[in-house]
Amino acid sequence: ILSDSERPTDRFDDVIGAENAKSELMYFVDYLKNPKKYMARSVKPPRGILLYGPPGTGKTMLARAMAGESDVTFIPSTATAFLNRFVGEGEKQIRQLFSVAKRFAPSIIFIDEIDAVGKTRTGSTSTHHTETLLNALLTEMDGFVFDQAKPVFVVAATNYGLDSSTGIGDGIDPALLRRFDNRIYDDLPNEEEREKYLAMLFSKVE
């Protein structure tokens, strides 16, 4: 995890499309850059946001650009990596992730494919390991004390389980959804945005 920590130079201008998502993210960027301003207004510190939408829309790039715009440490991870561990190891990795984020704060933790551990709990023995991981994640999200000098922010991404028109979770655990202050839809690029993206690619090979 430590080797993946970085301060990206990406900006929202580097992300083609996703204009609505970028506009919504700017509020959180301003919060990360000026936390004392919001604390003076008694605004409740945000804990995180959930990016959702079709695969391939650049949710990871959006999260990197958010970190770049905020000039904070970016710590990427994927929920599927927590699953590919022996019992107890995934939970330990989650705790380490948040520990690193606190150490390098101000920081953004990015968890891709959050649905891998975030599906609605059923209590069955077949999903026990996944639910244990989810509980560990919820505990960490609840456990860190907001430091206005060194905020830690969680950005998660999923291609699964959310309706773009209502933003209501379908299959994502309600307790996890409640940990996110906002759910931001990242849609597929329109024709104009696709042309702009292709032009950018061609310019790099000339």
Side-chain angles (χ1 to χ4, degrees):
I1 295 174
L2 281 169
S3 62
D4 292 332
S5 303
E6 60 173 319
R7 291 213 172 199
T9 58
D10 307 272
R11 297 292 185 269
F12 285 143
D13 286 345
D14 299 317
V15 181
I16 304 300
E19 296 304 322
N20 290 335
K22 287 187 282 188
S23 178
E24 291 191 63
L25 287 171
M26 280 306 301
Y27 168 80
F28 298 99
V29 168
D30 189 52
Y31 197 104
L32 286 168
K33 293 172 73 173
N34 305 288
K36 292 182 180 179
K37 177 179 73 173
Y38 290 88
M39 295 293 284
R41 299 175 184 172
S42 298
V43 176
K44 181 182 177 182
R47 285 185 291 185
I49 55 173
L50 179 64
L51 299 173
Y52 68 101
T57 54
K59 290 183 281 294
T60 301
M61 185 62 179
L62 269 177
R64 284 181 56 85
M66 180 181 174
E69 293 278 357
S70 307
D71 191 28
V72 302
T73 306
F74 182 67
I75 306 172
S77 60
T78 174
T80 54
F82 304 146
L83 288 172
N84 299 327
R85 303 279 175 175
F86 295 110
V87 174
E89 286 298 312
E91 294 85 341
K92 180 180 178 181
Q93 189 178 28
I94 290 171
R95 291 191 293 270
Q96 288 177 335
L97 180 67
F98 280 81
S99 176
V100 169
K102 294 170 192 174
R103 193 182 315 164
F104 288 90
S107 60
I108 289 176
I109 296 173
F110 176 64
I111 306 176
D112 199 10
E113 300 176 328
I114 190 69
D115 47 272
V117 298
K119 294 180 182 178
T120 302
R121 286 168 284 189
T122 64
S124 68
T125 55
S126 61
T127 60
H128 177 71
H129 180 43
T130 303
E131 293 177 7
T132 301
L133 292 170
L134 175 58
N135 287 332
L137 177 59
L138 296 176
T139 298
E140 289 300 319
M141 290 186 71
D142 286 341
F144 62 83
V145 177
F146 184 81
D147 182 347
Q148 63 180 1
K150 294 186 175 183
V152 174
F153 197 76
V154 180
V155 178
T158 181
N159 306 325
Y160 167 89
L162 289 164
D163 184 297
S164 62
S165 62
T166 65
I168 297 173
D170 177 16
I172 302 294
D173 192 84
L176 179 60
L177 286 175
R178 287 195 296 270
R179 266 57 174 194
F180 296 106
D181 301 274
N182 204 355
R183 305 162 202 168
I184 299 176
Y185 184 63
D186 184 18
D187 202 355
L188 291 167
N190 58 35
E191 184 175 349
E192 180 182 349
E193 291 165 345
R194 291 173 186 174
E195 290 177 355
K196 185 178 180 180
Y197 178 69
L198 290 172
M200 181 185 69
L201 290 179
F202 287 135
S203 67
K204 293 181 178 180
V205 297
E206 290 179 355

